[in-house]
Amino acid sequence: MLLGREFRRNLKGLVIWSIIMAGIILMYLSIYPEFAKSQQGMEEMMNTLPEGMKKAFGMDRLSMGSLLGFYGIEIHLMTTLLGSIFASLLASNIVAKEQHEKTIEFLLSKPITRSSIITQKLAAVVINVLLFNVVIVAASLLGFQFSKDNDVSLETFFLLESAVLLMHLTFASVSFLFSAMLKRTRSVVSMSLGLVFITYFFSIISGVSDHLTWLKYVSPFKYAEAAAIISDRYFDPLYISIMGAVIVCCALFAYWYYSKKNITV
């Protein structure tokens, strides 16, 4: 079964990335109690930072003195950026590698349709991204226990993590489309990672400059911004709709293009 094969082939990468991410989360949350003891000094230090920097990273709306505020400032960047890189790398290789490794003719010689190939490979991507996000949530909930004053609103936390998951799936879907369209894995990986870093840059710029706030609409990082979700306890339906539309459109276009693609090795 192709789905099982793809899952086994990507299992090592999933485990490595999950261990790294869980380690980062637990490390940061383990030192939070020491940060909390010097809350006043931390607040004074943050007040010395430029307003643009504080606004770009949500420090103007979140407090390092609260556990969830600390999570949103220090850890959320890691879960979004590293998670998006993981999702993009996974999806960008999964289809294009068949041509790059010259295994596509063997695969198509089996009683399997192109539609089934795309379906099972897409399912493998979704399963891996879901499992990776389960690790993020589990490590975070475990790390919260390091703090005696555990005042985390689980409803807000899960709202934040649902935004992170949706963002990871957005990058994965775009990278999956690139993988279905292109032949060379190096080109697909470059485009996918370039998209992640460019949109991350856009999210920072949109927070710093009042004249470039429109850039937030082309950056999933802004859609899953911790400051807005934690402070307002609200995940904008517009952002949900945009990411949902991107995911569905990329998947459908990948099906359509791959079914008509001239596959040569």
Side-chain angles (χ1 to χ4, degrees):
M1 185 177 179
L2 183 58
L3 174 58
R5 188 194 74 167
E6 289 298 335
F7 183 77
R8 289 190 297 272
R9 289 176 71 175
N10 292 287
L11 181 59
K12 181 179 178 180
L14 173 63
V15 171
I16 292 174
W17 277 88
S18 296
I19 290 174
I20 292 172
M21 181 56 66
I24 291 173
I25 292 171
L26 291 173
M27 180 186 70
Y28 270 89
L29 289 175
S30 68
I31 62 176
Y32 170 75
E34 294 301 320
F35 274 93
K37 290 178 183 178
S38 56
Q39 179 181 350
Q40 184 176 353
M42 289 164 48
E43 295 293 342
E44 291 176 355
M45 180 188 70
M46 289 181 62
N47 289 334
T48 64
L49 297 174
E51 284 299 321
M53 182 177 178
K54 290 194 291 184
K55 188 176 179 182
F57 293 97
M59 298 177 186
D60 60 328
R61 303 178 67 182
L62 296 177
S63 170
M64 293 279 280
S66 70
L67 182 52
L68 200 53
F70 175 85
Y71 185 94
I73 294 173
E74 296 290 341
I75 301 173
H76 184 69
L77 170 62
M78 302 296 179
T79 61
T80 52
L81 183 57
L82 294 183
S84 297
I85 292 173
F86 164 74
S88 295
L89 287 174
L90 170 70
S92 61
N93 274 308
I94 203 160
V95 180
K97 68 183 178 184
E98 300 293 353
Q99 283 185 270
H100 182 74
E101 297 174 359
K102 304 186 186 302
T103 56
I104 188 62
E105 288 187 347
F106 172 77
L107 185 61
L108 291 175
S109 68
K110 301 292 183 179
I112 185 172
T113 64
R114 293 192 185 193
S115 177
S116 180
I117 291 174
I118 287 291
T119 299
Q120 294 188 58
K121 285 182 176 287
L122 182 59
V125 170
V126 172
I127 290 172
N128 274 268
V129 172
L130 286 174
L131 290 175
F132 183 74
N133 277 267
V134 167
V135 171
I136 290 175
V137 171
S140 299
L141 292 176
L142 177 61
F144 289 155
Q145 306 311 308
F146 292 133
S147 175
K148 295 180 181 179
D149 300 322
N150 192 337
D151 58 348
V152 172
S153 166
L154 291 181
E155 181 181 353
T156 304
F157 171 71
F158 282 113
L159 188 64
L160 178 65
E161 293 311 310
S162 67
V164 173
L165 171 60
L166 199 55
M167 189 189 73
H168 290 167
L169 290 174
T170 300
F171 280 114
S173 65
V174 176
S175 298
F176 186 82
L177 175 59
F178 290 161
S179 187
M181 294 177 65
L182 302 176
K183 178 179 178 180
R184 295 176 61 86
T185 55
R186 185 175 299 178
S187 300
V188 181
V189 170
S190 298
M191 291 175 62
S192 299
L193 292 182
L195 180 66
V196 171
F197 291 119
I198 288 172
T199 53
Y200 175 66
F201 177 73
F202 284 168
S203 73
I204 295 177
I205 295 299
S206 67
V208 172
S209 174
D210 293 333
H211 302 291
L212 296 173
T213 54
W214 58 270
L215 284 175
K216 68 182 181 181
Y217 294 110
V218 293
S219 175
F221 287 98
K222 205 66 178 177
Y223 302 167
E225 184 181 44
I229 295 175
I230 293 174
S231 60
D232 299 336
R233 298 187 178 186
Y234 178 75
F235 186 14
D236 195 329
L238 174 61
Y239 296 156
I240 298 174
S241 301
I242 292 174
M243 288 192 283
V246 170
I247 293 169
V248 172
C249 289
C250 285
L252 292 177
F253 195 77
Y255 272 96
W256 175 82
Y257 189 90
Y258 198 75
S259 66
K260 299 179 179 298
K261 184 179 181 180
N262 180 23
I263 298 178
T264 57
V265 296

